Amino acid sequence: MSLAARIEAARGAALLAEGKTWEYADLLVAARRVADHVRDPLSPERPIVAIASDLVPEAVIALHGVVRAGAVLSPIPPAWRPDEWDRYVDFVSPDAALVTSAGTPPPAGWGSRRIALSDGTALALWHRTRDRDAVGSRQGPPDADGPTRRRAVLPAGTDVLLWTSGTVGRPKVVCHAWDALLANAEAANRRLGAAAHDRW
């Protein structure tokens, strides 16, 4: 069963944070709203979407929205400097970024719109603006601000891109499939003895 299907079938409390309980039904409504914004007709079939956020409820909603949109998820640290953003964009070439109030937006060359959530919070969805006419192709025309944009070529089955810390050199991207990450979580639950009613 896919991750999106598991969430569709779930009932009860999904998330407890900051004095608020999000039921699975609430999470689904918010995730669908995010997914509708992430699905952009100018983006490739499987856009790469970064999420810049600390551990807040909006980050969980953003994650599920990206999954529902069929996009490739790329979580990144919330407080990147402009040079760190630039290095990541040059290497991964994401199509969009979801940024919470705790996250640092991308540098110049991006435009944003607000996605309001039902609890009064919001996400900012950022799209690259300089090369919107080139999105969807492997290589777009050069512009005045930099070299030709090249999209990351991902191995088949890639659902998540994890940006490493670069402790032994330049940072790298590790590709994962949701099936592998879900299997890891299930194994951890079994080892810890976690049951359906438990919360982490």
Side-chain angles (χ1 to χ4, degrees), residues 6-194:
R6 287 176 184 228
I7 299 302
E8 288 277 3
R11 299 291 181 268
L15 178 66
L16 290 78
E18 301 173 358
K20 176 179 171 57
T21 299
W22 292 77
E23 298 290 321
Y24 277 102
D26 302 325
L27 180 61
L28 274 172
V29 169
R32 286 176 182 141
R33 183 176 296 123
V34 172
D36 288 342
H37 284 271
V38 168
R39 292 187 192 101
D40 189 308
L42 296 181
S43 291
E45 183 178 348
R46 294 203 71 204
I48 299 170
V49 181
I51 294 181
S53 175
D54 207 342
L55 295 177
V56 293
E58 303 96 285
V60 178
I61 293 165
L63 182 151
H64 285 285
V66 170
V67 171
R68 295 191 67 80
V72 176
L73 171 70
S74 181
I76 58 175
W80 263 354
R81 303 183 307 268
D83 63 304
E84 292 172 308
W85 258 110
D86 286 340
R87 189 180 306 119
Y88 168 78
V89 169
D90 288 345
F91 194 89
V92 174
S93 194
D95 300 285
L98 285 163
V99 181
T100 68
S101 58
T104 303
W110 295 64
S112 72
R113 63 177 180 266
R114 187 175 182 270
I115 304 175
L117 304 176
S118 58
D119 67 337
T121 59
L123 291 164
L125 177 64
W126 293 79
H127 275 286
R128 299 176 69 156
T129 56
R130 288 183 310 216
D131 52 8
R132 295 292 284 156
D133 58 332
V135 172
S137 62
R138 285 294 173 188
Q139 182 172 332
D143 59 38
D145 296 309
T148 298
R149 177 183 179 191
R150 296 179 185 274
R151 276 187 48 78
V153 179
L154 305 177
T158 297
D159 296 310
V160 181
L161 302 180
L162 297 181
W163 186 249
T164 70
S165 64
T167 51
V168 292
R170 290 181 62 84
K172 304 172 186 68
V173 168
V174 180
C175 301
H176 285 283
W178 278 122
D179 286 347
L181 295 176
L182 284 169
N184 179 271
E186 288 167 348
N189 285 344
R190 286 193 300 271
R191 182 70 180 88
L192 295 169

Side-chain angles (χ1 to χ4, degrees), residues 193-199:
H197 62 275
D198 291 321
R199 295 290 178 268

